[in-house]
Structure formats: C-alpha cells, structure tokens
Amino acid sequence: MALSPAYTIHQYREDIYKVVAFKGNRDPDKVYIRDREDNQRNETKLDSNFSRARSMVLQYALCNPWEYFFTGTLDQTKWRRDDLDTFMRDFSQKIRDWRKEYGFKLDVLLVPEKHKDGMWHVHGLINNLPYYYTSGFYWLPLPSLHMTPYPFKLCNGEFRSWPDFQDRYGYCSLARIRDPIATAYYVTKYIGKDIAQRERDLGKHLYFHSRPLKKAEKASDVYLYNPGLDDLCTHEYDFCKTGMVQDAPWYFPYVWDGAEAPEEAPLDPKPIQDPLKDFDPWTIDPFYEQLKMETFQ
C-alpha cells in the first residue's frame, strides 16, 4: 500500500490550473489510500494514445503564447498529399532553418487533418513569426470557403500569408488570435476527428510541435478530501474527475490542505467549461485551396 494524493493540481498559465480528483475512499477524516498496483493499472488504462495527445496539445496550446491561427495545405505539384510523414520530416528541418534565417525562436503547434479523399492538411498555432516575413492581408468571404464553420470567434478576420511556407509547401493562411483560451480548446478538437484512421496511419504522430515548448507543471498534491475541489471538476472518467479553472490567484494550489490564503485577495477560481462546446473544427477542401493558390500566384 502507498500513500497517494486525493487530488493533484497542475499549473498551465499564471492564472489557469487543472484539478484532478482521484476516485476512491472519500471519508473527509481520512487520508486517501490507493493500492500501488491498482494505481498502475488505472494509469495504463487512462494513458491511451488518444487521450494523451489531446492532453498534450491542450497543454502546449495553453502554456505557451501564440500569435496566429494557421492553416496549411500541400501543393500537389510538389508533394504527395497523402504522405504526411515526409512533409512533417521536411517541415521540422525547415523550422530549424527558418529559426536561423529569421533570428527568432519560431514556434509551431500543428494538428494534421485528413480530408475524406485521403489528402492531408494541417491546422495549428504559430508564434514569433516576424511580421515582415508575412504578406498580404485579405478578408476571406464566408460563402467562398468550404467550412463548418471557420473560427471567426477566435480570430479577428484579418488573414495573411506566409510566403516561405507557401513557396515550398502550398496554400496557407494566418489569422491573429483574439481569444487564446478558446483557440487552445479549438485546436485540441482536431485530435478528436477520425482518430482511428490517424492512429492506423500515423502511430504516435497525432500532432507536431517545435521544441522546446512549455508544459503544465505540478503545483501541489492534496491528500485530504475537499468538496471545494470536487466542485471544480467538470469532466468525469472511470478513475478520476478533472476540471480546468481560470482567474485563480497564485496561492490557489496551496490552500486546500489547510494553508491560509492572504486576506487581501479572495480565492475565487472559475471553472472553465469548454468555451466551444458546440463549435466544430473547420474542415477545408484541399483541392479548392489548391485552385485558390494557383489563382493567387
């Protein structure tokens, strides 16, 4: 037998935390004890490729600053659009090359999406791309896009191009992010689409990111049952409950085991419900984007 926490609290940003409440004996007068072997079996069940990928994408999306929401396709005259692995290997090297050329730590977080015809394109987030390495700006008229729907809730409507990407790979667009939290949840939704097909084709490659990026860090363990922490959990699973909270002060992780909060600042975290619960990810038609790219050139 091993002493294990009833809750863990992880910090994502200065005011955003994740609470994990482990299921089991919830006697408020007792420390929660879990069997180590049962714990290992439970963690194995939870650690699927799918759930880990979604968790990591949300961590990278929330824990790092991002400037642009990005969409990119592959030019069928230059690349096999059904060969995502080759594109990802080449793009990874080009990120390193562009970092040297730009003199900036260019960061990317991309999630691939397979169109119904088997062709790949990518959506994601970009930061530290110098403004003078973008071009245009243009407004995309809603009726002309094959979308369901484009995330105008997340972006301010001004779209730019990234010539270095477009010249080497294919059509792309950059839109400035106006709601970082909603955008983080939005990008994570792409991990949920056609996941079985992705696992068969890509193995672990359900997303791509530059290195290094910040991840969530454990802030504290809580060993005593606390109904206040339970109330912050909005998602329930077989072996735990979880919840994201925002507007939490710096001392949020430390007060649940009896530490006193500063008198001048109340502890008033707000649970984060999915800000885009009924907002499906945008799906593009890569052949339409190819035609548009050829028209713009």
Side-chain angles (χ1 to χ4, degrees), residues 90-148:
D90 189 87
F91 186 61
S92 179
Q93 180 59 50
K94 289 304 297 181
I95 289 294
R96 293 190 287 271
D97 295 342
W98 285 329
R99 281 179 168 181
K100 296 177 182 178
E101 177 182 342
Y102 299 161
F104 288 86
K105 182 182 175 293
L106 176 64
D107 287 328
V108 300
L109 173 62
L110 300 179
V111 180
E113 182 187 24
K114 177 175 280 191
H115 196 254
K116 60 185 178 182
D117 60 8
M119 303 301 176
W120 290 98
H121 54 277
V122 293
H123 303 277
L125 308 173
I126 292 182
N127 195 44
N128 292 330
L129 177 62
Y131 195 73
Y132 44 83
Y133 281 93
T134 67
S135 67
F137 82 82
Y138 53 94
W139 294 83
L140 297 182
L142 189 62
S144 71
L145 289 177
H146 298 264
M147 62 180 71
T148 29

Side-chain angles (χ1 to χ4, degrees), residues 64-102:
N64 297 273
W66 302 103
E67 184 177 10
Y68 293 109
F69 177 82
F70 174 78
T71 296
T73 65
L74 296 178
D75 185 339
Q76 60 186 356
T77 66
K78 302 176 181 178
W79 298 87
R80 283 184 52 188
R81 304 178 76 178
D82 61 347
D83 186 358
L84 183 64
D85 285 340
T86 298
F87 162 68
M88 286 300 190
R89 285 194 298 270
D90 189 87
F91 186 61
S92 179
Q93 180 59 50
K94 289 304 297 181
I95 289 294
R96 293 190 287 271
D97 295 342
W98 285 329
R99 281 179 168 181
K100 296 177 182 178
E101 177 182 342
Y102 299 161

Side-chain angles (χ1 to χ4, degrees), residues 190-205:
Y190 280 106
I191 294 292
K193 301 186 67 182
D194 302 325
I195 193 66
Q197 182 68 31
R198 291 184 189 182
E199 286 183 319
R200 184 164 60 250
D201 288 350
L202 296 174
K204 297 181 180 179
H205 302 296

Side-chain angles (χ1 to χ4, degrees), residues 12 24-25 81 95 151-152 159-160 173-174 179 203 212 219 221 225 262:
Y12 281 61
N25 182 3
R81 304 178 76 178
I95 289 294
F152 285 106
F159 292 80
R160 302 185 67 85
S173 67
L174 300 162
D179 188 334
D221 289 321
Y225 167 72

Side-chain angles (χ1 to χ4, degrees), residues 30-260:
K30 295 181 179 180
V31 173
Y32 179 36
I33 304 294
R34 289 186 293 153
D35 182 86
R36 186 180 300 274
E37 292 184 1
D38 288 343
N39 180 38
Q40 290 175 347
R41 287 196 296 268
N42 292 348
E43 289 179 349
T44 299
K45 292 178 182 178
L46 288 174
D47 191 26
S48 67
N49 200 25
F50 167 73
S51 62
R52 177 170 175 78
R54 295 201 72 172
S55 173
M56 293 307 302
V57 168
L58 185 61
Q59 286 188 51
Y60 290 135
L62 282 176
C63 295
N64 297 273
W66 302 103
E67 184 177 10
Y68 293 109
F69 177 82
F70 174 78
T71 296
T73 65
L74 296 178
D75 185 339
Q76 60 186 356
T77 66
K78 302 176 181 178
W79 298 87
R80 283 184 52 188
R81 304 178 76 178
D82 61 347
D83 186 358
L84 183 64
D85 285 340
T86 298
F87 162 68
M88 286 300 190
R89 285 194 298 270
D90 189 87
F91 186 61
S92 179
Q93 180 59 50
K94 289 304 297 181
I95 289 294
R96 293 190 287 271
D97 295 342
W98 285 329
R99 281 179 168 181
K100 296 177 182 178
E101 177 182 342
Y102 299 161
F104 288 86
K105 182 182 175 293
L106 176 64
D107 287 328
V108 300
L109 173 62
L110 300 179
V111 180
E113 182 187 24
K114 177 175 280 191
H115 196 254
K116 60 185 178 182
D117 60 8
M119 303 301 176
W120 290 98
H121 54 277
V122 293
H123 303 277
L125 308 173
I126 292 182
N127 195 44
N128 292 330
L129 177 62
Y131 195 73
Y132 44 83
Y133 281 93
T134 67
S135 67
F137 82 82
Y138 53 94
W139 294 83
L140 297 182
L142 189 62
S144 71
L145 289 177
H146 298 264
M147 62 180 71
T148 29
Y150 191 81
F152 285 106
K153 288 183 180 180
L154 313 180
C155 307
N156 63 12
E158 177 186 318
F159 292 80
R160 302 185 67 85
S161 178
W162 181 9
D164 283 340
F165 182 96
Q166 184 160 314
D167 291 346
R168 185 171 183 85
Y169 298 111
Y171 174 82
C172 67
S173 67
L174 300 162
R176 288 189 180 274
I177 295 169
R178 67 180 183 186
D179 188 334
I181 294 178
T183 302
Y185 277 84
Y186 179 82
V187 171
T188 303
K189 285 178 178 286
Y190 280 106
I191 294 292
K193 301 186 67 182
D194 302 325
I195 193 66
Q197 182 68 31
R198 291 184 189 182
E199 286 183 319
R200 184 164 60 250
D201 288 350
L202 296 174
K204 297 181 180 179
H205 302 296
L206 302 183
Y207 63 95
F208 168 83
H209 66 91
S210 56
R211 293 178 171 83
L213 291 180
K214 294 180 180 178
K215 298 185 292 185
E217 297 181 354
K218 181 184 285 190
S220 69
D221 289 321
V222 180
Y223 289 87
L224 299 176
Y225 167 72
N226 194 304
L229 281 176
D230 274 13
D231 291 343
L232 296 175
C233 295
T234 56
H235 293 77
E236 186 162 348
Y237 305 98
D238 290 341
F239 308 105
C240 68
K241 298 189 297 182
T242 68
M244 301 290 294
V245 297
Q246 62 182 341
D247 298 334
W250 65 267
Y251 53 86
F252 171 80
Y254 313 114
V255 301
W256 304 99
D257 272 337
E260 294 185 4

